[in-house]
Amino acid sequence: LVIDPVTVAFGRVNSASGTLELSFTITNRGDRPIEITGARTGCGCTVAKWSKSFVAPREPIVVSVMVNLIGRLCKLENRV
């Protein structure tokens, strides 16, 4: 699997903006289909959704991530 981009840095953001959203791609570089059955995030304020569960060889999928910033007044570093 190849993930692009691997890391995203938003810098300083205002928590009053509500949410941060980003998308990245995962490409199956193997020769067999894979199934994505779930994702784990760093905390409950982060949600990940993907465009399809089965990924054919050499095919990409899009993963969308949303981080809820409301009430956050600290440094926030999440992983998906």
Side-chain angles (χ1 to χ4, degrees), residues 1 14 16 23 25 60 62 64 66-67 79:
L1 297 177
N14 185 339
S23 295
T25 60
V62 175
S64 300
M66 184 183 76
V67 181
R79 300 183 192 285

Side-chain angles (χ1 to χ4, degrees), residues 8-35:
V8 176
F10 287 102
R12 295 181 72 103
V13 295
N14 185 339
S15 64
S17 64
T19 60
L20 286 177
E21 296 183 33
L22 67 108
S23 295
F24 59 91
T25 60
I26 299 176
T27 303
N28 178 3
R29 291 289 172 103
D31 57 0
R32 304 174 95 183
I34 62 167
E35 180 182 13

Side-chain angles (χ1 to χ4, degrees), residues 23-65:
S23 295
F24 59 91
T25 60
I26 299 176
T27 303
N28 178 3
R29 291 289 172 103
D31 57 0
R32 304 174 95 183
I34 62 167
E35 180 182 13
I36 298 178
T37 59
R40 288 188 292 193
T41 60
C43 73
C45 66
T46 306
V47 177
K49 296 180 181 181
W50 46 97
S51 55
K52 57 185 175 181
S53 294
F54 287 94
V55 186
R58 292 165 293 289
E59 290 287 323
I61 65 164
V62 175
V63 178
S64 300
V65 178

